[in-house]
Amino acid sequence: MNVLLICSMGASTANMCKKIEEAAAAEGLELETQAVAMAMMNDKIDWADVVLVGPQIRFMLDKVRAAAKDKPVEAIDMMAYGMMDGAKVLQQIKGMM
């Protein structure tokens, strides 16, 4: 499964990608993540099976959903993001499928 994380600049979300991949590996799941800035969203959206938006730009959800077409799109849980809790975000991803 390919998971795209979108945030304002892409930097902090790159750390979340690592945490999600570690949680997935611990569960024996094959999952690849990529973090991109909102400005680069259209370059990567076709690659994704699931799209997550950083809580700091959740106001952009409608724009991301329009670009993602029929792919599931949600904002990352704010508490999980703040704590860099990859396991909790992985559970959110699994719930989106």
Side-chain angles (χ1 to χ4, degrees), residues 4-25:
L4 183 64
L5 281 71
I6 302 170
C7 71
S8 55
M9 299 301 285
S12 58
T13 311
N15 290 331
M16 178 56 76
C17 285
K18 292 176 190 169
K19 298 290 186 178
I20 295 167
E21 288 181 354
E22 289 169 4

Side-chain angles (χ1 to χ4, degrees), residues 23-73:
E27 291 188 22
L29 299 173
E30 287 191 33
L31 183 136
E32 185 177 342
T33 61
Q34 286 190 21
V36 297
M38 185 71 187
M40 301 298 293
M41 171 185 69
N42 290 325
D43 294 340
K44 295 289 184 177
I45 201 119
D46 289 337
W47 167 86
D49 298 310
V50 172
V51 181
L52 290 171
V53 175
Q56 68 275 30
I57 60 162
R58 65 184 173 276
F59 63 92
M60 300 293 286
L61 270 172
D62 289 340
K63 183 175 183 175
V64 175
R65 284 185 176 127
K69 300 177 183 119
D70 59 346
K71 298 174 187 198
V73 178

Side-chain angles (χ1 to χ4, degrees), residues 68-85:
K69 300 177 183 119
D70 59 346
K71 298 174 187 198
V73 178
E74 288 184 9
I76 300 171
D77 176 81
M78 190 178 301
M79 184 68 76
Y81 190 84
M83 301 293 291
M84 285 288 139
D85 187 342

